[in-house]
Each structure stands twice: as C-alpha cells, then as structure tokens.
Amino acid sequence: MPSLESYHKDLDYSYAPGIFPAMEALKKRPETVRRILISSRSEESEGVKTLIALAEEKGIRVETADRALSRISGKENCFAAAVFEKRPSVLKQDADHIVLHHTSDFGNLGTILRTALGFHYLDIAVIRPAADPYEPKAVRASMGALFSLRLKEYEDFDAYRKEFPSHAAYPFMLDGARGLDETAKEIKRPCCLIFGNEGAGLPPEFARIGQAVRIPSSQDIDSLNLAVAAAIGMYQCRR
C-alpha cells in the first residue's frame, strides 16, 4: 500500500479521525474507504473491535498505524481513523439547501454539518474561499455526518445561484428586514438558507437576492456564534 501523506487540500483522499467518524464512513460510504487505521493501544476497545469487524465484513484493509494517527489527529489519544476518497456530490434540485458563504472555522463547519443532518437538511453548498470540508478537523467535528450528506463546493455564490436559480433564498443577516419567527411561517420551498462568515457575516448585497432574515436577540451581544445561529435557523425553518 502507498504511504499516507499529511493532509492537504490537493490530495484526492482525506481522513476521518476517531472511532465514531470512521464507523460512519464504513456504514454510509464504504465504497470510498481505502483503509482503516488503528492504534496499537486500542486492542481492548470495544469500539475498535466493532470497527475492525465491520471493515473485515466489507473487505477493507485494517492496519496498525500509531505514527500516522498521531500526525493526522494531532493528538495522542486518537485510536482509529478511516482513509477515504474525496468524491464531490450533486445537490438535489427539489431539496432545501444550506449555503455556507466563506465559513472559515473547521469546528463551526463540522458542527453545522452535523446539525444539518440532525434537522434533515441533506444538501450543503460551500462557497469558497472557505474552510475545507474534507480537512480532518472538520470531518471529526461533524462526527461523520459528512458521509450522510450531499456536499458541493462552489467558486462563488453566482456559480451556485446559476445552478439553482429558483430556490427561494433566505440570507441570515444582522440587519435582516424580518424576524425569523415571522419568516419561518411563510417559507417557500425549495429554499436555501444562507449563512455568512464568522466575522464579516454576509455582504450587504445579499439582502437583494431574497428575504433577509434576522434572529432576534438581546442588545447585550452583537451577534450569535455562526454554528448556533445556523442551528436556530434550521430548526425554526424546518418546523
């Protein structure tokens, strides 16, 4: 087997560090998994035993790789990881979408992916420049939700909009004209919920592409954390 490189965006594969994310890769996208890495210190772990059994059932190679796991995760206590091929998805035309515009934090990105799966938003558009959704930190933060989603990256928002011109757009903005409660009662489908960068939010021109939405909050804070705002927006609009 060829040696594994430290992750970088140009690789055609990535890593899902952690027993649960690796298990999700095997369950949901086994055709993309190249091999399973385990730690020599994990022989007695019931989770690792289950992972090995599932890999063997699917005919996927398992190897002990302590140094690779430490390099991949940056931690000493990572007991397993899946090595998987990066395969772009096609978003569904008739489904609601989550659009992440210039999201920059791996933790926020992964948390949003996991939340999207929890509220059954299965189609995710990532607008570049943005955090790499295949970076191991993002994959781990998603707890393997990445493997249950259709995700596609776009060079800019115009490229996304050209592909899905009829989706009702709901950009979440601090100066949005309507509150979330009111908007959610009349939401049109299929729709795209658009969330901006952690620091800058969405550019002002997004207010002209659809119905801008505001999440009401007290004056004691200037804004909500991006992952929290996305969770509130997804939950309310799904209701």
Side-chain angles (χ1 to χ4, degrees), residues 96 98 116-117 119-124 149 193 233-234 237-238:
D96 294 339
I98 300 300
L117 179 60
F119 293 135
H120 206 65
Y121 291 89
L122 303 183
D123 295 79
I124 314 295
L149 301 171
L193 308 184
M234 285 187 271
C237 292
R238 181 58 77 209

Side-chain angles (χ1 to χ4, degrees), residues 63-164:
E63 61 185 65
T64 302
D66 291 342
R67 292 178 62 185
L69 285 171
S70 179
R71 184 173 68 249
I72 292 163
S73 67
K75 299 179 179 179
E76 295 297 326
N77 62 344
C78 181
F79 294 140
V83 183
F84 68 94
E85 297 174 9
K86 299 192 295 188
R87 296 185 183 179
S89 302
V90 176
L91 306 189
K92 290 185 68 173
Q93 284 283 347
D94 59 350
D96 294 339
H97 298 168
I98 300 300
V99 179
L100 303 177
H101 187 270
H102 300 179
T103 303
S104 62
D105 183 84
F106 295 121
N108 278 336
L109 176 56
T111 300
I112 291 170
L113 296 183
R114 187 181 185 194
T115 304
L117 179 60
F119 293 135
H120 206 65
Y121 291 89
L122 303 183
D123 295 79
I124 314 295
V126 175
I127 311 299
R128 296 171 176 158
D132 178 4
Y134 298 102
E135 213 282 345
K137 293 177 183 176
V139 179
R140 181 156 194 165
S142 83
M143 291 301 289
L146 173 69
F147 303 109
S148 296
L149 301 171
R150 293 177 289 270
L151 185 147
K152 185 174 180 180
E153 296 178 86
Y154 294 85
E155 289 303 318
D156 51 41
F157 182 76
D158 288 343
Y160 166 80
R161 201 60 174 155
K162 184 176 181 180
E163 192 172 333
F164 300 99

